Amino acid sequence: MRDYLLTLCVTAAVTYLLTGPVRKFAIATGAMPEIRARDVHREPTPRLGGIAMFFGLCAGLLVADNLQNLNGVFELSNEPRALLSGAALIWLIGVLDDKFEIDALIKLGAQMIAAGVMVMQGLTILWIPVPGVGTVALTSWQGTLLTVALVVITINAVNFVDGLDGLAAGMVCIAAAAFFLYTYRIWYGYGIEAAAPATLFAAILMGMCVGFLPHNMHPARIFMGDSGSMLIGLVLAAGAISVTGQVDPDALKIFEGSTRQATHAALPVFIPLLLPLTIIAIPFADLVLAVVRRTWNGKSPFAADRGHLHHRLLEIGHSHSRSVLIMYFWSALIAFGVVAYSVHSASMWILLVVVALSAVGLVLLLLPRFTPRAPLWAQAFVPPRYRRRRRTEAEAREAVEGVEGAEGVAEPADGAAVGAACAHAQEHEPAAEVRTPVPAGVNGATALGARSRLPDRRKAGSRQ
């Protein structure tokens, strides 16, 4: 565990330290495209953050290769080299796309080629554990097609969800953390060395995301771009392929005893069939909905629009930061819920906790539909949008004059009337409530709406 944590920390440190120079390089080379109709940010922001993430990946693999307890992964398996080859290819295509906007079909072909490169070097699905049947061996063509499909789906799912500051990096980091716990248990708990590469990939992926997130949180100073989103999607898919198609279920010696006992014992093996999809459940759902929506409207599945899940969260009234946190919450609930169930499948409390947290998540989703009124004593503990403010003397005078004008009274309001209006406003708070508007800020808005061409060019708390 210490070696994995050291690899994670080195990967995060290299990624974090390189992101600043990469940002300056992106600005110098003009990798700051104009704001598009589907974008949420309000200022041109440099891309190419994937460059720092790729060098963080290389640093993590280099450190692991020189650690005594992890160098056996490189000696007994060719999967780390296969991952590095596929990652280098997909990263290069992503860098070119961030700078020159490559066609979507070309990127799709490059994703398939990168998956094929990994398959040629041994990172492929060899067999599938099927409940009630056992282990089903795959032919070379079946394994290749299934591997390529999983890689392409995962890459595009992560790429589709990369629409808000810190969203893709945070969700993939959560998925990688859940995946690390699962694979480490298979490797350390059952003593299966074939799960070691997937554990290493998950640790490095967490380091890449953790190192990049401080630069990418709202308001983001740099975007990862396609060079980063496709890269972390590939690493995530590589870990899922490694533990799904390389770990032999028979090595766990679980198909013994009664059928019920064997079914419960086999869950750690059957879970890989679902875990690669559950850890990207939210991005995958966004991908499927986007394809269906665009095809239904007669558009290309690769045509960009503003109908993604994070766009819908903004439309119903969530702020930028809250939308990201809600997506984090659901990703963690699904990923860690599945991992916990794979460990304690017979425990009912896990299901009850997941149901309770799902109810909390639904309340958070519907929060903008409510108009909560916080009492005066609790205003210091609630966000500004839910605070009240008392009527000023000028507002009270205008209110009194408006009432007198409606009743046909021409006399001006005196001090007593104004004082009475202020007292009435304090006694009857709901009637006199005035919601404090939340400023949209320089780098983002609290909801979608018409955008101007950035008349306000103030810097948002950054010297650069």
Side-chain angles (χ1 to χ4, degrees), residues 11 70 72 91 112 128 136 140 166 190 233 259 294 300 350 397 401 405 412 414 433 441 450-451:
T11 304
L70 294 182
W91 168 76
M112 294 181 178
I128 297 179
V136 177
S140 60
Y190 290 92
T259 304
R294 296 166 183 175
S300 170
I350 295 179
R397 186 180 297 276
E401 291 178 353
D414 54 6
E433 178 188 358
R451 287 182 174 82

Side-chain angles (χ1 to χ4, degrees), residues 92-339:
L92 180 60
I93 296 298
V95 170
L96 295 177
D97 180 68
D98 290 339
K99 174 60 180 175
F100 302 106
E101 294 288 342
I102 298 178
D103 185 74
L105 292 178
I106 297 179
K107 290 193 294 184
L108 180 62
Q111 295 167 9
M112 294 181 178
I113 295 175
V117 169
M118 293 194 302
V119 170
M120 292 176 60
Q121 300 189 52
L123 186 56
T124 182
I125 298 177
L126 302 177
W127 49 69
I128 297 179
V130 179
V133 177
T135 303
V136 177
L138 301 177
T139 63
S140 60
W141 281 106
Q142 291 173 341
T144 300
L145 292 178
L146 189 58
T147 302
V148 171
L150 183 58
V151 169
V152 171
I153 291 175
T154 307
I155 289 176
N156 286 280
V158 175
N159 194 16
F160 272 45
V161 81
D162 185 23
L164 297 180
D165 297 348
L167 181 57
M171 292 182 65
V172 172
C173 185
I174 293 172
F179 200 74
F180 175 81
L181 294 178
Y182 170 78
T183 54
Y184 185 79
R185 178 173 179 265
I186 295 294
W187 173 69
Y188 183 77
Y190 290 92
I192 300 179
E193 293 294 334
T199 310
L200 176 62
F201 297 165
I204 292 177
L205 183 57
M206 279 193 291
M208 295 165 60
C209 296
V210 169
F212 184 72
L213 269 175
H215 300 273
N216 191 234
M217 295 301 292
H218 182 71
R221 300 175 66 247
I222 185 174
F223 294 152
M224 69 173 65
D226 284 358
S227 59
S229 61
M230 293 196 300
L231 176 63
I232 60 178
L234 179 74
V235 178
L236 184 62
I241 292 170
S242 176
V243 75
T244 302
Q246 301 291 333
V247 176
D248 188 0
D250 295 333
L252 298 178
K253 300 180 181 180
I254 56 178
F255 300 105
E256 298 177 355
S258 64
T259 304
R260 181 180 180 86
Q261 294 175 351
T263 302
H264 285 164
L267 277 174
V269 181
F270 295 148
I271 285 298
L273 296 173
L274 301 177
L275 193 58
L277 296 181
T278 56
I279 57 182
I280 59 167
I282 302 299
F284 182 74
D286 194 10
L287 171 64
V288 173
L289 291 175
V291 172
V292 173
R293 179 179 63 252
R294 296 166 183 175
T295 305
W296 182 268
N297 294 330
K299 299 180 180 179
S300 170
F302 303 101
D305 58 13
R306 295 176 62 85
H308 294 290
L309 295 178
H310 49 270
H311 289 142
R312 297 181 183 273
L313 288 175
L314 294 175
E315 287 176 355
I316 65 178
H318 290 289
S319 65
H320 190 293
S321 300
R322 190 195 295 169
S323 300
V324 173
L325 292 177
I326 289 175
M327 299 284 278
Y328 284 177
F329 173 83
W330 284 104
S331 297
L333 179 61
I334 296 174
F336 286 100
V338 172
V339 173

Side-chain angles (χ1 to χ4, degrees), residues 350-366:
I350 295 179
L351 182 60
L352 296 178
V353 170
V354 171
V355 172
L357 292 178
S358 299
V360 174
L362 291 176
V363 172
L364 294 177
L365 282 176
L366 299 176

Side-chain angles (χ1 to χ4, degrees), residues 377-389:
W377 60 267
Q379 290 190 15
F381 306 99
V382 297
R385 64 170 59 200
Y386 302 117
R387 298 175 185 173
R388 305 180 184 188
R389 62 182 180 88

Side-chain angles (χ1 to χ4, degrees), residues 435-461:
R435 296 284 295 277
T436 303
V438 180
V442 181
N443 290 274
T446 57
L448 295 179
R451 287 182 174 82
S452 62
R453 293 306 299 171
L454 310 176
D456 190 356
R457 293 289 184 176
R458 295 173 299 152
K459 295 183 177 179

